[in-house]
mmCIF file of all heavy atoms in Angstrom:
data_model
loop_
_atom_site.group_PDB
_atom_site.id
_atom_site.type_symbol
_atom_site.label_atom_id
_atom_site.label_comp_id
_atom_site.label_asym_id
_atom_site.label_seq_id
_atom_site.Cartn_x
_atom_site.Cartn_y
_atom_site.Cartn_z
ATOM 1 N N VAL A 52 -89.890 9.871 0.008
ATOM 2 C CA VAL A 52 -89.731 9.394 -1.361
ATOM 3 C C VAL A 52 -90.599 10.223 -2.301
ATOM 4 O O VAL A 52 -90.130 10.669 -3.351
ATOM 5 C CB VAL A 52 -90.092 7.897 -1.456
ATOM 6 C CG1 VAL A 52 -90.162 7.442 -2.903
ATOM 7 C CG2 VAL A 52 -89.096 7.039 -0.681
ATOM 8 N N ASP A 53 -91.835 10.485 -1.922
ATOM 9 C CA ASP A 53 -92.716 11.316 -2.754
ATOM 10 C C ASP A 53 -92.150 12.719 -2.936
ATOM 11 O O ASP A 53 -92.190 13.275 -4.005
ATOM 12 C CB ASP A 53 -94.121 11.393 -2.130
ATOM 13 C CG ASP A 53 -94.902 10.112 -2.284
ATOM 14 O OD1 ASP A 53 -94.501 9.253 -3.113
ATOM 15 O OD2 ASP A 53 -95.915 9.971 -1.588
ATOM 16 N N HIS A 54 -91.634 13.285 -1.851
ATOM 17 C CA HIS A 54 -91.048 14.630 -1.921
ATOM 18 C C HIS A 54 -89.818 14.599 -2.827
ATOM 19 O O HIS A 54 -89.635 15.502 -3.655
ATOM 20 C CB HIS A 54 -90.676 15.088 -0.511
ATOM 21 C CG HIS A 54 -90.108 16.469 -0.480
ATOM 22 N ND1 HIS A 54 -90.858 17.581 -0.756
ATOM 23 C CD2 HIS A 54 -88.857 16.915 -0.230
ATOM 24 C CE1 HIS A 54 -90.099 18.650 -0.663
ATOM 25 N NE2 HIS A 54 -88.877 18.279 -0.341
ATOM 26 N N GLY A 55 -89.037 13.581 -2.762
ATOM 27 C CA GLY A 55 -87.850 13.456 -3.619
ATOM 28 C C GLY A 55 -88.262 13.300 -5.072
ATOM 29 O O GLY A 55 -87.625 13.878 -5.982
ATOM 30 N N LYS A 56 -89.290 12.515 -5.334
ATOM 31 C CA LYS A 56 -89.781 12.336 -6.703
ATOM 32 C C LYS A 56 -90.287 13.659 -7.250
ATOM 33 O O LYS A 56 -90.055 14.008 -8.403
ATOM 34 C CB LYS A 56 -90.907 11.293 -6.748
ATOM 35 C CG LYS A 56 -90.437 9.876 -6.664
ATOM 36 C CD LYS A 56 -91.643 8.940 -6.775
ATOM 37 C CE LYS A 56 -91.195 7.510 -6.602
ATOM 38 N NZ LYS A 56 -92.370 6.604 -6.626
ATOM 39 N N ARG A 57 -91.035 14.381 -6.412
ATOM 40 C CA ARG A 57 -91.596 15.658 -6.827
ATOM 41 C C ARG A 57 -90.468 16.634 -7.167
ATOM 42 O O ARG A 57 -90.507 17.300 -8.202
ATOM 43 C CB ARG A 57 -92.467 16.233 -5.703
ATOM 44 C CG ARG A 57 -93.178 17.522 -6.141
ATOM 45 C CD ARG A 57 -94.154 18.046 -5.116
ATOM 46 N NE ARG A 57 -95.132 17.040 -4.780
ATOM 47 C CZ ARG A 57 -95.522 16.735 -3.543
ATOM 48 N NH1 ARG A 57 -95.044 17.412 -2.529
ATOM 49 N NH2 ARG A 57 -96.400 15.808 -3.315
ATOM 50 N N THR A 58 -89.448 16.708 -6.361
ATOM 51 C CA THR A 58 -88.305 17.595 -6.613
ATOM 52 C C THR A 58 -87.611 17.172 -7.913
ATOM 53 O O THR A 58 -87.255 18.024 -8.748
ATOM 54 C CB THR A 58 -87.290 17.529 -5.454
ATOM 55 O OG1 THR A 58 -87.963 17.910 -4.265
ATOM 56 C CG2 THR A 58 -86.137 18.461 -5.690
ATOM 57 N N TRP A 59 -87.434 15.877 -8.083
ATOM 58 C CA TRP A 59 -86.792 15.364 -9.313
ATOM 59 C C TRP A 59 -87.632 15.705 -10.556
ATOM 60 O O TRP A 59 -87.094 16.141 -11.574
ATOM 61 C CB TRP A 59 -86.584 13.862 -9.193
ATOM 62 C CG TRP A 59 -86.041 13.233 -10.438
ATOM 63 C CD1 TRP A 59 -86.695 12.408 -11.271
ATOM 64 C CD2 TRP A 59 -84.753 13.421 -10.993
ATOM 65 N NE1 TRP A 59 -85.897 12.052 -12.339
ATOM 66 C CE2 TRP A 59 -84.672 12.668 -12.172
ATOM 67 C CE3 TRP A 59 -83.629 14.152 -10.619
ATOM 68 C CZ2 TRP A 59 -83.549 12.621 -12.978
ATOM 69 C CZ3 TRP A 59 -82.501 14.087 -11.402
ATOM 70 C CH2 TRP A 59 -82.454 13.335 -12.585
ATOM 71 N N LEU A 60 -88.952 15.514 -10.474
ATOM 72 C CA LEU A 60 -89.832 15.822 -11.598
ATOM 73 C C LEU A 60 -89.807 17.334 -11.942
ATOM 74 O O LEU A 60 -89.766 17.701 -13.107
ATOM 75 C CB LEU A 60 -91.281 15.385 -11.301
ATOM 76 C CG LEU A 60 -91.548 13.889 -11.395
ATOM 77 C CD1 LEU A 60 -92.960 13.573 -10.875
ATOM 78 C CD2 LEU A 60 -91.399 13.421 -12.820
ATOM 79 N N ILE A 61 -89.849 18.164 -10.940
ATOM 80 C CA ILE A 61 -89.803 19.619 -11.162
ATOM 81 C C ILE A 61 -88.479 20.000 -11.805
ATOM 82 O O ILE A 61 -88.442 20.753 -12.789
ATOM 83 C CB ILE A 61 -90.040 20.392 -9.858
ATOM 84 C CG1 ILE A 61 -91.498 20.205 -9.404
ATOM 85 C CG2 ILE A 61 -89.696 21.874 -10.018
ATOM 86 C CD1 ILE A 61 -91.792 20.741 -8.019
ATOM 87 N N ALA A 62 -87.386 19.465 -11.296
ATOM 88 C CA ALA A 62 -86.056 19.806 -11.834
ATOM 89 C C ALA A 62 -85.918 19.369 -13.285
ATOM 90 O O ALA A 62 -85.449 20.108 -14.139
ATOM 91 C CB ALA A 62 -84.963 19.191 -10.971
ATOM 92 N N THR A 63 -86.356 18.116 -13.573
ATOM 93 C CA THR A 63 -86.220 17.630 -14.954
ATOM 94 C C THR A 63 -87.171 18.357 -15.897
ATOM 95 O O THR A 63 -86.858 18.604 -17.050
ATOM 96 C CB THR A 63 -86.442 16.109 -15.035
ATOM 97 O OG1 THR A 63 -87.727 15.786 -14.469
ATOM 98 C CG2 THR A 63 -85.345 15.333 -14.335
ATOM 99 N N SER A 64 -88.370 18.736 -15.409
ATOM 100 C CA SER A 64 -89.311 19.487 -16.240
ATOM 101 C C SER A 64 -88.744 20.848 -16.593
ATOM 102 O O SER A 64 -88.848 21.312 -17.735
ATOM 103 C CB SER A 64 -90.653 19.671 -15.514
ATOM 104 O OG SER A 64 -91.248 18.401 -15.321
ATOM 105 N N CYS A 65 -88.141 21.514 -15.607
ATOM 106 C CA CYS A 65 -87.552 22.837 -15.857
ATOM 107 C C CYS A 65 -86.404 22.714 -16.846
ATOM 108 O O CYS A 65 -86.278 23.524 -17.767
ATOM 109 C CB CYS A 65 -87.068 23.466 -14.551
ATOM 110 S SG CYS A 65 -88.438 24.003 -13.491
ATOM 111 N N ALA A 66 -85.555 21.708 -16.648
ATOM 112 C CA ALA A 66 -84.438 21.509 -17.558
ATOM 113 C C ALA A 66 -84.946 21.202 -18.970
ATOM 114 O O ALA A 66 -84.406 21.711 -19.958
ATOM 115 C CB ALA A 66 -83.529 20.367 -17.072
ATOM 116 N N GLY A 67 -86.005 20.407 -19.051
ATOM 117 C CA GLY A 67 -86.592 20.090 -20.356
ATOM 118 C C GLY A 67 -87.183 21.328 -21.016
ATOM 119 O O GLY A 67 -87.044 21.539 -22.232
ATOM 120 N N ALA A 68 -87.841 22.190 -20.222
ATOM 121 C CA ALA A 68 -88.422 23.416 -20.774
ATOM 122 C C ALA A 68 -87.325 24.332 -21.306
ATOM 123 O O ALA A 68 -87.448 24.908 -22.388
ATOM 124 C CB ALA A 68 -89.260 24.130 -19.721
ATOM 125 N N VAL A 69 -86.251 24.493 -20.534
ATOM 126 C CA VAL A 69 -85.142 25.330 -20.982
ATOM 127 C C VAL A 69 -84.531 24.748 -22.268
ATOM 128 O O VAL A 69 -84.257 25.465 -23.229
ATOM 129 C CB VAL A 69 -84.063 25.456 -19.861
ATOM 130 C CG1 VAL A 69 -82.808 26.096 -20.405
ATOM 131 C CG2 VAL A 69 -84.616 26.281 -18.712
ATOM 132 N N GLY A 70 -84.350 23.460 -22.305
ATOM 133 C CA GLY A 70 -83.838 22.823 -23.498
ATOM 134 C C GLY A 70 -84.774 22.985 -24.674
ATOM 135 O O GLY A 70 -84.331 23.217 -25.807
ATOM 136 N N GLY A 71 -86.072 22.878 -24.446
ATOM 137 C CA GLY A 71 -87.052 23.052 -25.512
ATOM 138 C C GLY A 71 -87.018 24.450 -26.088
ATOM 139 O O GLY A 71 -87.069 24.653 -27.304
#
Side-chain angles (χ1 to χ4, degrees):
V52 170
D53 287 344
H54 182 69
K56 283 182 183 176
R57 186 174 304 135
T58 302
W59 175 250
L60 284 172
I61 291 171
T63 56
S64 296
C65 289
V69 169

